[in-house]
Amino acid sequence: MSEKTTKGVQILRGDPKKAIIKLSIPMMIGMSVQTVYNLADGIWVSGLGPNALAAVGLFFPVFMGIISLASGLGIGASSAIARRIGARDKEGADNVAVHSFILSLLLGVGITITMLPPIASLFRSMGARGEAVELAIEYSRVLLIGAFVIVFNNVGNGILRGEGDANRAMLAMVLGSGLNIILDPIFIYTLGFGVVGAAYATLLSMIVTFLFIAYWLFIKRDTYVDITLRDFLPSGEIIKDILRVGLPSSLSQLSMSIAIFFLNSVAIAAGGERGVAVFTGAWRVTMLGIVPILGMASATTAVTGAAYGEGNIEKLNTAYLYAIKLAFTIELSIVAFIIVFAPQVTYLFTYSESAQAIKDILISALRTLPVFLVLTPFGMMTSAMFQGIGEGEKSLLTIFRTLIMQMGFAYLFVHYTSLGLKGVWLGIVIGNMVAAVTGFTWGRLRIRSFKRTFSETKNTTLP
């Protein structure tokens, strides 16, 4: 009986450069729409005034924390499935998918139960007071209730990416984010819900994405993996394999959430609640620039994972370096664009009369903060490669970048110089660039080690 195959699986097992492009482009499109939604959400909310924008900014690190846990689990599933596809282990890939969904159920319910009660105290601990914190509490409660949907969507998307089905992974993101962009002004202004309306729009959009992913995986059933409890074989090794990649990925992304939480506090110290509003606007624009890297990173994880499963280190190395080269070229163009058109971009967040007060400092932020994107591909593709080969713990280099370099420099510049808010931007830039160079060096050394090992033992067995 021949092994079941799909177009995505054929792409994964084919030419690594073509695979990077074919899997990256759909993910870039999907993530671009997702990021445009984040930007549009900020634009619509900013029309309600700085307090409303600050409220969304206060919840952002919490929401990013949830996404970190969910996407980490999805990346763990993606890596484990891709490696088994490379090794032609169909049964193992199926079992990974079932384990992933069971873990998603446990995680989603756990987030809701643990985060809902303390959310108000968490916001006040950041130093925020008054209307902004009350709006943040209302906004956050809606999305915390839908935590399981967030986790399920990320795991389902990870499974699709892991088997090379980037088109449907893209479609899921486009459907949810596109609908969200449409619903935002309706819920915020037409229905008069204000800031909490943005949360309702987000939750409804996520539910639509949930329904599509569930249909593809459980009803239409034309994916490479078959997800059925009938063939489920509980395995501690599979859970360990998923979590070895997923937990470090989540911790790395959580470190970014913690860093933003801390940077919000530093921004408050440097510029009050206006400082948070500026940081929120500038960061959302900068996230547009990181989208191509994220899309290419998800492709790199899948392609390097399949190459590693196949035992082909040359293919792994080609995919890794090619992804870095493409991403670096793209980021140079994006950073130049943001710097040149900073005044025009700023208008999107300062079109209301009450928001004019942050115009000049937002322009300054947009001409400094995005610079860190230039070297980011070197570190991010290295982390993606480590995730692909199942050595997720090495991607914890991100924690060095976010919790030590970014936060350390930002704190020093704000409290021990007269730079004010500019110190926050410089801290982020310096921290990211140092970590990117360090990560790339580590990645190159690891691949050289692989080449020596695989040349010595031709018949290496995957763990």
Side-chain angles (χ1 to χ4, degrees), residues 212-244:
F212 273 94
I213 293 176
Y215 170 73
W216 292 327
L217 293 172
F218 300 115
I219 299 175
K220 193 175 184 184
R221 304 177 68 83
D222 61 347
T223 52
Y224 175 80
V225 295
D226 295 307
I227 305 173
T228 59
L229 288 176
R230 183 181 65 251
D231 300 323
F232 173 55
L233 295 173
S235 169
E237 285 302 310
I238 287 181
I239 292 175
K240 181 180 176 181
D241 193 15
I242 294 170
L243 296 183
R244 186 184 176 190

PDB file of all heavy atoms in Angstrom, residues 212-244:
ATOM      1  N   PHE A 212     -13.752  26.975   9.990  1.00  0.00           N
ATOM      2  CA  PHE A 212     -13.108  26.538   8.748  1.00  0.00           C
ATOM      3  C   PHE A 212     -12.037  25.477   9.012  1.00  0.00           C
ATOM      4  O   PHE A 212     -11.976  24.457   8.317  1.00  0.00           O
ATOM      5  CB  PHE A 212     -12.497  27.731   8.006  1.00  0.00           C
ATOM      6  CG  PHE A 212     -13.463  28.426   7.086  1.00  0.00           C
ATOM      7  CD1 PHE A 212     -14.192  29.521   7.520  1.00  0.00           C
ATOM      8  CD2 PHE A 212     -13.657  27.968   5.797  1.00  0.00           C
ATOM      9  CE1 PHE A 212     -15.091  30.155   6.680  1.00  0.00           C
ATOM     10  CE2 PHE A 212     -14.558  28.596   4.943  1.00  0.00           C
ATOM     11  CZ  PHE A 212     -15.280  29.692   5.386  1.00  0.00           C
ATOM     12  N   ILE A 213     -11.178  25.719  10.010  1.00  0.00           N
ATOM     13  CA  ILE A 213     -10.112  24.758  10.310  1.00  0.00           C
ATOM     14  C   ILE A 213     -10.711  23.421  10.759  1.00  0.00           C
ATOM     15  O   ILE A 213     -10.249  22.348  10.348  1.00  0.00           O
ATOM     16  CB  ILE A 213      -9.166  25.324  11.384  1.00  0.00           C
ATOM     17  CG1 ILE A 213      -8.388  26.525  10.821  1.00  0.00           C
ATOM     18  CG2 ILE A 213      -8.184  24.242  11.870  1.00  0.00           C
ATOM     19  CD1 ILE A 213      -7.491  27.220  11.830  1.00  0.00           C
ATOM     20  N   ALA A 214     -11.741  23.482  11.595  1.00  0.00           N
ATOM     21  CA  ALA A 214     -12.393  22.255  12.063  1.00  0.00           C
ATOM     22  C   ALA A 214     -13.007  21.491  10.888  1.00  0.00           C
ATOM     23  O   ALA A 214     -12.946  20.256  10.836  1.00  0.00           O
ATOM     24  CB  ALA A 214     -13.465  22.597  13.101  1.00  0.00           C
ATOM     25  N   TYR A 215     -13.580  22.219   9.937  1.00  0.00           N
ATOM     26  CA  TYR A 215     -14.183  21.572   8.758  1.00  0.00           C
ATOM     27  C   TYR A 215     -13.128  20.832   7.940  1.00  0.00           C
ATOM     28  O   TYR A 215     -13.309  19.674   7.558  1.00  0.00           O
ATOM     29  CB  TYR A 215     -14.890  22.620   7.899  1.00  0.00           C
ATOM     30  CG  TYR A 215     -15.334  22.092   6.547  1.00  0.00           C
ATOM     31  CD1 TYR A 215     -16.413  21.219   6.437  1.00  0.00           C
ATOM     32  CD2 TYR A 215     -14.648  22.468   5.386  1.00  0.00           C
ATOM     33  CE1 TYR A 215     -16.808  20.721   5.193  1.00  0.00           C
ATOM     34  CE2 TYR A 215     -15.035  21.982   4.145  1.00  0.00           C
ATOM     35  CZ  TYR A 215     -16.110  21.104   4.059  1.00  0.00           C
ATOM     36  OH  TYR A 215     -16.490  20.611   2.840  1.00  0.00           O
ATOM     37  N   TRP A 216     -11.988  21.495   7.679  1.00  0.00           N
ATOM     38  CA  TRP A 216     -10.936  20.881   6.872  1.00  0.00           C
ATOM     39  C   TRP A 216     -10.364  19.629   7.536  1.00  0.00           C
ATOM     40  O   TRP A 216     -10.130  18.618   6.883  1.00  0.00           O
ATOM     41  CB  TRP A 216      -9.795  21.873   6.627  1.00  0.00           C
ATOM     42  CG  TRP A 216     -10.176  23.011   5.738  1.00  0.00           C
ATOM     43  CD1 TRP A 216     -11.063  22.983   4.697  1.00  0.00           C
ATOM     44  CD2 TRP A 216      -9.683  24.354   5.805  1.00  0.00           C
ATOM     45  NE1 TRP A 216     -11.148  24.226   4.116  1.00  0.00           N
ATOM     46  CE2 TRP A 216     -10.318  25.090   4.772  1.00  0.00           C
ATOM     47  CE3 TRP A 216      -8.774  25.014   6.631  1.00  0.00           C
ATOM     48  CZ2 TRP A 216     -10.064  26.440   4.559  1.00  0.00           C
ATOM     49  CZ3 TRP A 216      -8.514  26.354   6.416  1.00  0.00           C
ATOM     50  CH2 TRP A 216      -9.159  27.065   5.385  1.00  0.00           C
ATOM     51  N   LEU A 217     -10.135  19.714   8.850  1.00  0.00           N
ATOM     52  CA  LEU A 217      -9.442  18.635   9.540  1.00  0.00           C
ATOM     53  C   LEU A 217     -10.352  17.487   9.978  1.00  0.00           C
ATOM     54  O   LEU A 217      -9.929  16.328   9.981  1.00  0.00           O
ATOM     55  CB  LEU A 217      -8.697  19.191  10.760  1.00  0.00           C
ATOM     56  CG  LEU A 217      -7.513  20.128  10.461  1.00  0.00           C
ATOM     57  CD1 LEU A 217      -6.997  20.756  11.734  1.00  0.00           C
ATOM     58  CD2 LEU A 217      -6.383  19.363   9.767  1.00  0.00           C
ATOM     59  N   PHE A 218     -11.602  17.800  10.335  1.00  0.00           N
ATOM     60  CA  PHE A 218     -12.464  16.779  10.930  1.00  0.00           C
ATOM     61  C   PHE A 218     -13.622  16.327  10.045  1.00  0.00           C
ATOM     62  O   PHE A 218     -14.184  15.257  10.273  1.00  0.00           O
ATOM     63  CB  PHE A 218     -13.028  17.283  12.263  1.00  0.00           C
ATOM     64  CG  PHE A 218     -11.971  17.606  13.283  1.00  0.00           C
ATOM     65  CD1 PHE A 218     -11.787  18.910  13.722  1.00  0.00           C
ATOM     66  CD2 PHE A 218     -11.145  16.616  13.786  1.00  0.00           C
ATOM     67  CE1 PHE A 218     -10.815  19.215  14.660  1.00  0.00           C
ATOM     68  CE2 PHE A 218     -10.160  16.916  14.724  1.00  0.00           C
ATOM     69  CZ  PHE A 218      -9.994  18.217  15.158  1.00  0.00           C
ATOM     70  N   ILE A 219     -13.987  17.137   9.050  1.00  0.00           N
ATOM     71  CA  ILE A 219     -15.148  16.787   8.219  1.00  0.00           C
ATOM     72  C   ILE A 219     -14.717  16.474   6.791  1.00  0.00           C
ATOM     73  O   ILE A 219     -14.959  15.386   6.270  1.00  0.00           O
ATOM     74  CB  ILE A 219     -16.196  17.924   8.238  1.00  0.00           C
ATOM     75  CG1 ILE A 219     -16.693  18.146   9.680  1.00  0.00           C
ATOM     76  CG2 ILE A 219     -17.370  17.584   7.324  1.00  0.00           C
ATOM     77  CD1 ILE A 219     -17.642  19.304   9.843  1.00  0.00           C
ATOM     78  N   LYS A 220     -14.050  17.426   6.131  1.00  0.00           N
ATOM     79  CA  LYS A 220     -13.594  17.192   4.750  1.00  0.00           C
ATOM     80  C   LYS A 220     -12.494  16.141   4.711  1.00  0.00           C
ATOM     81  O   LYS A 220     -12.467  15.298   3.794  1.00  0.00           O
ATOM     82  CB  LYS A 220     -13.100  18.502   4.133  1.00  0.00           C
ATOM     83  CG  LYS A 220     -12.912  18.397   2.625  1.00  0.00           C
ATOM     84  CD  LYS A 220     -12.544  19.749   2.017  1.00  0.00           C
ATOM     85  CE  LYS A 220     -12.454  19.632   0.493  1.00  0.00           C
ATOM     86  NZ  LYS A 220     -12.008  20.905  -0.121  1.00  0.00           N
ATOM     87  N   ARG A 221     -11.565  16.214   5.655  1.00  0.00           N
ATOM     88  CA  ARG A 221     -10.557  15.173   5.868  1.00  0.00           C
ATOM     89  C   ARG A 221      -9.717  14.856   4.613  1.00  0.00           C
ATOM     90  O   ARG A 221      -9.487  13.690   4.284  1.00  0.00           O
ATOM     91  CB  ARG A 221     -11.208  13.889   6.379  1.00  0.00           C
ATOM     92  CG  ARG A 221     -12.009  14.081   7.648  1.00  0.00           C
ATOM     93  CD  ARG A 221     -12.691  12.787   8.080  1.00  0.00           C
ATOM     94  NE  ARG A 221     -11.681  11.834   8.498  1.00  0.00           N
ATOM     95  CZ  ARG A 221     -11.132  11.812   9.724  1.00  0.00           C
ATOM     96  NH1 ARG A 221     -11.498  12.696  10.627  1.00  0.00           N
ATOM     97  NH2 ARG A 221     -10.233  10.915  10.037  1.00  0.00           N
ATOM     98  N   ASP A 222      -9.252  15.906   3.922  1.00  0.00           N
ATOM     99  CA  ASP A 222      -8.393  15.677   2.758  1.00  0.00           C
ATOM    100  C   ASP A 222      -6.954  16.120   3.026  1.00  0.00           C
ATOM    101  O   ASP A 222      -6.180  16.358   2.108  1.00  0.00           O
ATOM    102  CB  ASP A 222      -8.947  16.398   1.530  1.00  0.00           C
ATOM    103  CG  ASP A 222      -9.028  17.912   1.723  1.00  0.00           C
ATOM    104  OD1 ASP A 222      -8.895  18.377   2.880  1.00  0.00           O
ATOM    105  OD2 ASP A 222      -9.220  18.630   0.726  1.00  0.00           O
ATOM    106  N   THR A 223      -6.595  16.244   4.313  1.00  0.00           N
ATOM    107  CA  THR A 223      -5.235  16.610   4.693  1.00  0.00           C
ATOM    108  C   THR A 223      -4.347  15.360   4.739  1.00  0.00           C
ATOM    109  O   THR A 223      -4.840  14.225   4.704  1.00  0.00           O
ATOM    110  CB  THR A 223      -5.236  17.273   6.087  1.00  0.00           C
ATOM    111  OG1 THR A 223      -5.936  16.426   7.010  1.00  0.00           O
ATOM    112  CG2 THR A 223      -5.918  18.626   6.038  1.00  0.00           C
ATOM    113  N   TYR A 224      -3.042  15.576   4.836  1.00  0.00           N
ATOM    114  CA  TYR A 224      -2.107  14.446   4.934  1.00  0.00           C
ATOM    115  C   TYR A 224      -2.351  13.676   6.236  1.00  0.00           C
ATOM    116  O   TYR A 224      -2.404  12.448   6.243  1.00  0.00           O
ATOM    117  CB  TYR A 224      -0.667  14.955   4.867  1.00  0.00           C
ATOM    118  CG  TYR A 224       0.374  13.881   5.086  1.00  0.00           C
ATOM    119  CD1 TYR A 224       0.748  13.018   4.056  1.00  0.00           C
ATOM    120  CD2 TYR A 224       1.008  13.739   6.329  1.00  0.00           C
ATOM    121  CE1 TYR A 224       1.704  12.029   4.250  1.00  0.00           C
ATOM    122  CE2 TYR A 224       1.966  12.748   6.527  1.00  0.00           C
ATOM    123  CZ  TYR A 224       2.301  11.899   5.490  1.00  0.00           C
ATOM    124  OH  TYR A 224       3.250  10.918   5.687  1.00  0.00           O
ATOM    125  N   VAL A 225      -2.483  14.414   7.341  1.00  0.00           N
ATOM    126  CA  VAL A 225      -2.717  13.741   8.621  1.00  0.00           C
ATOM    127  C   VAL A 225      -4.189  13.366   8.757  1.00  0.00           C
ATOM    128  O   VAL A 225      -5.068  14.072   8.284  1.00  0.00           O
ATOM    129  CB  VAL A 225      -2.299  14.627   9.824  1.00  0.00           C
ATOM    130  CG1 VAL A 225      -0.812  14.871   9.821  1.00  0.00           C
ATOM    131  CG2 VAL A 225      -3.059  15.942   9.843  1.00  0.00           C
ATOM    132  N   ASP A 226      -4.444  12.240   9.383  1.00  0.00           N
ATOM    133  CA  ASP A 226      -5.794  11.800   9.704  1.00  0.00           C
ATOM    134  C   ASP A 226      -5.957  11.879  11.215  1.00  0.00           C
ATOM    135  O   ASP A 226      -5.207  11.233  11.958  1.00  0.00           O
ATOM    136  CB  ASP A 226      -6.030  10.360   9.227  1.00  0.00           C
ATOM    137  CG  ASP A 226      -5.977  10.246   7.712  1.00  0.00           C
ATOM    138  OD1 ASP A 226      -6.696  11.013   7.053  1.00  0.00           O
ATOM    139  OD2 ASP A 226      -5.214   9.405   7.197  1.00  0.00           O
ATOM    140  N   ILE A 227      -6.931  12.675  11.664  1.00  0.00           N
ATOM    141  CA  ILE A 227      -7.108  12.901  13.097  1.00  0.00           C
ATOM    142  C   ILE A 227      -8.325  12.119  13.583  1.00  0.00           C
ATOM    143  O   ILE A 227      -9.475  12.527  13.373  1.00  0.00           O
ATOM    144  CB  ILE A 227      -7.269  14.401  13.397  1.00  0.00           C
ATOM    145  CG1 ILE A 227      -6.069  15.167  12.829  1.00  0.00           C
ATOM    146  CG2 ILE A 227      -7.403  14.641  14.890  1.00  0.00           C
ATOM    147  CD1 ILE A 227      -6.195  16.667  12.907  1.00  0.00           C
ATOM    148  N   THR A 228      -8.098  10.998  14.219  1.00  0.00           N
ATOM    149  CA  THR A 228      -9.177  10.177  14.767  1.00  0.00           C
ATOM    150  C   THR A 228      -8.757   9.611  16.110  1.00  0.00           C
ATOM    151  O   THR A 228      -7.616   9.159  16.282  1.00  0.00           O
ATOM    152  CB  THR A 228      -9.527   9.003  13.833  1.00  0.00           C
ATOM    153  OG1 THR A 228      -8.362   8.198  13.644  1.00  0.00           O
ATOM    154  CG2 THR A 228     -10.033   9.490  12.483  1.00  0.00           C
ATOM    155  N   LEU A 229      -9.666   9.644  17.069  1.00  0.00           N
ATOM    156  CA  LEU A 229      -9.380   9.067  18.377  1.00  0.00           C
ATOM    157  C   LEU A 229      -9.278   7.546  18.300  1.00  0.00           C
ATOM    158  O   LEU A 229      -8.653   6.910  19.144  1.00  0.00           O
ATOM    159  CB  LEU A 229     -10.472   9.470  19.373  1.00  0.00           C
ATOM    160  CG  LEU A 229     -10.469  10.943  19.822  1.00  0.00           C
ATOM    161  CD1 LEU A 229     -11.659  11.226  20.717  1.00  0.00           C
ATOM    162  CD2 LEU A 229      -9.172  11.270  20.562  1.00  0.00           C
ATOM    163  N   ARG A 230      -9.883   6.967  17.260  1.00  0.00           N
ATOM    164  CA  ARG A 230      -9.874   5.510  17.107  1.00  0.00           C
ATOM    165  C   ARG A 230      -8.446   4.982  17.003  1.00  0.00           C
ATOM    166  O   ARG A 230      -8.110   3.929  17.552  1.00  0.00           O
ATOM    167  CB  ARG A 230     -10.665   5.112  15.862  1.00  0.00           C
ATOM    168  CG  ARG A 230     -10.771   3.607  15.644  1.00  0.00           C
ATOM    169  CD  ARG A 230     -11.546   3.260  14.376  1.00  0.00           C
ATOM    170  NE  ARG A 230     -10.863   3.721  13.161  1.00  0.00           N
ATOM    171  CZ  ARG A 230     -11.286   4.730  12.402  1.00  0.00           C
ATOM    172  NH1 ARG A 230     -12.396   5.394  12.733  1.00  0.00           N
ATOM    173  NH2 ARG A 230     -10.616   5.086  11.327  1.00  0.00           N
ATOM    174  N   ASP A 231      -7.590   5.710  16.304  1.00  0.00           N
ATOM    175  CA  ASP A 231      -6.208   5.273  16.111  1.00  0.00           C
ATOM    176  C   ASP A 231      -5.232   5.959  17.077  1.00  0.00           C
ATOM    177  O   ASP A 231      -4.016   5.852  16.927  1.00  0.00           O
ATOM    178  CB  ASP A 231      -5.766   5.563  14.665  1.00  0.00           C
ATOM    179  CG  ASP A 231      -6.629   4.833  13.647  1.00  0.00           C
ATOM    180  OD1 ASP A 231      -7.013   3.684  13.931  1.00  0.00           O
ATOM    181  OD2 ASP A 231      -6.917   5.416  12.581  1.00  0.00           O
ATOM    182  N   PHE A 232      -5.778   6.649  18.080  1.00  0.00           N
ATOM    183  CA  PHE A 232      -4.937   7.412  19.007  1.00  0.00           C
ATOM    184  C   PHE A 232      -4.178   6.474  19.953  1.00  0.00           C
ATOM    185  O   PHE A 232      -4.764   5.612  20.613  1.00  0.00           O
ATOM    186  CB  PHE A 232      -5.814   8.368  19.806  1.00  0.00           C
ATOM    187  CG  PHE A 232      -5.094   9.094  20.904  1.00  0.00           C
ATOM    188  CD1 PHE A 232      -3.957   9.846  20.633  1.00  0.00           C
ATOM    189  CD2 PHE A 232      -5.547   9.034  22.211  1.00  0.00           C
ATOM    190  CE1 PHE A 232      -3.293  10.528  21.635  1.00  0.00           C
ATOM    191  CE2 PHE A 232      -4.892   9.710  23.223  1.00  0.00           C
ATOM    192  CZ  PHE A 232      -3.763  10.461  22.940  1.00  0.00           C
ATOM    193  N   LEU A 233      -2.868   6.663  20.007  1.00  0.00           N
ATOM    194  CA  LEU A 233      -2.022   5.891  20.915  1.00  0.00           C
ATOM    195  C   LEU A 233      -1.284   6.869  21.824  1.00  0.00           C
ATOM    196  O   LEU A 233      -0.358   7.556  21.384  1.00  0.00           O
ATOM    197  CB  LEU A 233      -1.003   5.062  20.113  1.00  0.00           C
ATOM    198  CG  LEU A 233      -1.567   3.962  19.209  1.00  0.00           C
ATOM    199  CD1 LEU A 233      -0.450   3.350  18.370  1.00  0.00           C
ATOM    200  CD2 LEU A 233      -2.252   2.887  20.050  1.00  0.00           C
ATOM    201  N   PRO A 234      -1.735   7.004  23.085  1.00  0.00           N
ATOM    202  CA  PRO A 234      -1.082   7.949  24.008  1.00  0.00           C
ATOM    203  C   PRO A 234       0.415   7.689  24.089  1.00  0.00           C
ATOM    204  O   PRO A 234       0.861   6.554  24.227  1.00  0.00           O
ATOM    205  CB  PRO A 234      -1.760   7.650  25.353  1.00  0.00           C
ATOM    206  CG  PRO A 234      -3.075   7.039  24.989  1.00  0.00           C
ATOM    207  CD  PRO A 234      -2.822   6.252  23.742  1.00  0.00           C
ATOM    208  N   SER A 235       1.199   8.760  23.950  1.00  0.00           N
ATOM    209  CA  SER A 235       2.659   8.612  23.930  1.00  0.00           C
ATOM    210  C   SER A 235       3.331   9.775  24.646  1.00  0.00           C
ATOM    211  O   SER A 235       3.201  10.933  24.225  1.00  0.00           O
ATOM    212  CB  SER A 235       3.158   8.535  22.481  1.00  0.00           C
ATOM    213  OG  SER A 235       4.567   8.643  22.428  1.00  0.00           O
ATOM    214  N   GLY A 236       4.039   9.439  25.708  1.00  0.00           N
ATOM    215  CA  GLY A 236       4.804  10.459  26.413  1.00  0.00           C
ATOM    216  C   GLY A 236       5.919  11.019  25.556  1.00  0.00           C
ATOM    217  O   GLY A 236       6.271  12.196  25.660  1.00  0.00           O
ATOM    218  N   GLU A 237       6.467  10.195  24.655  1.00  0.00           N
ATOM    219  CA  GLU A 237       7.542  10.646  23.778  1.00  0.00           C
ATOM    220  C   GLU A 237       7.052  11.697  22.788  1.00  0.00           C
ATOM    221  O   GLU A 237       7.760  12.661  22.486  1.00  0.00           O
ATOM    222  CB  GLU A 237       8.144   9.447  23.027  1.00  0.00           C
ATOM    223  CG  GLU A 237       9.050   8.570  23.872  1.00  0.00           C
ATOM    224  CD  GLU A 237      10.216   9.339  24.473  1.00  0.00           C
ATOM    225  OE1 GLU A 237      10.901  10.065  23.716  1.00  0.00           O
ATOM    226  OE2 GLU A 237      10.426   9.243  25.691  1.00  0.00           O
ATOM    227  N   ILE A 238       5.833  11.508  22.281  1.00  0.00           N
ATOM    228  CA  ILE A 238       5.280  12.489  21.343  1.00  0.00           C
ATOM    229  C   ILE A 238       4.999  13.806  22.054  1.00  0.00           C
ATOM    230  O   ILE A 238       5.300  14.890  21.538  1.00  0.00           O
ATOM    231  CB  ILE A 238       4.000  11.942  20.673  1.00  0.00           C
ATOM    232  CG1 ILE A 238       4.373  10.862  19.644  1.00  0.00           C
ATOM    233  CG2 ILE A 238       3.224  13.065  19.989  1.00  0.00           C
ATOM    234  CD1 ILE A 238       3.199  10.264  18.916  1.00  0.00           C
ATOM    235  N   ILE A 239       4.430  13.723  23.257  1.00  0.00           N
ATOM    236  CA  ILE A 239       4.181  14.947  24.032  1.00  0.00           C
ATOM    237  C   ILE A 239       5.501  15.664  24.297  1.00  0.00           C
ATOM    238  O   ILE A 239       5.614  16.887  24.145  1.00  0.00           O
ATOM    239  CB  ILE A 239       3.471  14.612  25.360  1.00  0.00           C
ATOM    240  CG1 ILE A 239       2.045  14.108  25.085  1.00  0.00           C
ATOM    241  CG2 ILE A 239       3.430  15.842  26.274  1.00  0.00           C
ATOM    242  CD1 ILE A 239       1.316  13.637  26.313  1.00  0.00           C
ATOM    243  N   LYS A 240       6.516  14.902  24.656  1.00  0.00           N
ATOM    244  CA  LYS A 240       7.836  15.483  24.912  1.00  0.00           C
ATOM    245  C   LYS A 240       8.397  16.133  23.644  1.00  0.00           C
ATOM    246  O   LYS A 240       8.977  17.226  23.694  1.00  0.00           O
ATOM    247  CB  LYS A 240       8.780  14.381  25.410  1.00  0.00           C
ATOM    248  CG  LYS A 240      10.185  14.860  25.743  1.00  0.00           C
ATOM    249  CD  LYS A 240      11.051  13.702  26.224  1.00  0.00           C
ATOM    250  CE  LYS A 240      12.489  14.156  26.468  1.00  0.00           C
ATOM    251  NZ  LYS A 240      13.353  13.035  26.914  1.00  0.00           N
ATOM    252  N   ASP A 241       8.201  15.470  22.496  1.00  0.00           N
ATOM    253  CA  ASP A 241       8.701  15.983  21.223  1.00  0.00           C
ATOM    254  C   ASP A 241       8.019  17.299  20.861  1.00  0.00           C
ATOM    255  O   ASP A 241       8.661  18.263  20.428  1.00  0.00           O
ATOM    256  CB  ASP A 241       8.455  14.937  20.133  1.00  0.00           C
ATOM    257  CG  ASP A 241       9.210  15.249  18.843  1.00  0.00           C
ATOM    258  OD1 ASP A 241      10.130  16.089  18.884  1.00  0.00           O
ATOM    259  OD2 ASP A 241       8.886  14.657  17.805  1.00  0.00           O
ATOM    260  N   ILE A 242       6.685  17.355  21.043  1.00  0.00           N
ATOM    261  CA  ILE A 242       5.926  18.581  20.748  1.00  0.00           C
ATOM    262  C   ILE A 242       6.356  19.702  21.681  1.00  0.00           C
ATOM    263  O   ILE A 242       6.632  20.831  21.251  1.00  0.00           O
ATOM    264  CB  ILE A 242       4.410  18.339  20.883  1.00  0.00           C
ATOM    265  CG1 ILE A 242       3.924  17.354  19.820  1.00  0.00           C
ATOM    266  CG2 ILE A 242       3.643  19.664  20.773  1.00  0.00           C
ATOM    267  CD1 ILE A 242       2.486  16.887  20.031  1.00  0.00           C
ATOM    268  N   LEU A 243       6.443  19.384  22.968  1.00  0.00           N
ATOM    269  CA  LEU A 243       6.740  20.412  23.966  1.00  0.00           C
ATOM    270  C   LEU A 243       8.208  20.838  23.951  1.00  0.00           C
ATOM    271  O   LEU A 243       8.527  21.960  24.347  1.00  0.00           O
ATOM    272  CB  LEU A 243       6.359  19.922  25.360  1.00  0.00           C
ATOM    273  CG  LEU A 243       4.864  19.647  25.579  1.00  0.00           C
ATOM    274  CD1 LEU A 243       4.605  19.239  27.028  1.00  0.00           C
ATOM    275  CD2 LEU A 243       4.018  20.880  25.222  1.00  0.00           C
ATOM    276  N   ARG A 244       9.104  19.961  23.466  1.00  0.00           N
ATOM    277  CA  ARG A 244      10.519  20.347  23.395  1.00  0.00           C
ATOM    278  C   ARG A 244      10.706  21.530  22.452  1.00  0.00           C
ATOM    279  O   ARG A 244      11.606  22.365  22.646  1.00  0.00           O
ATOM    280  CB  ARG A 244      11.380  19.167  22.927  1.00  0.00           C
ATOM    281  CG  ARG A 244      12.871  19.486  22.969  1.00  0.00           C
ATOM    282  CD  ARG A 244      13.740  18.371  22.424  1.00  0.00           C
ATOM    283  NE  ARG A 244      15.139  18.799  22.417  1.00  0.00           N
ATOM    284  CZ  ARG A 244      16.124  18.132  21.838  1.00  0.00           C
ATOM    285  NH1 ARG A 244      15.879  16.985  21.208  1.00  0.00           N
ATOM    286  NH2 ARG A 244      17.354  18.609  21.862  1.00  0.00           N
TER     287      ARG A 244
END
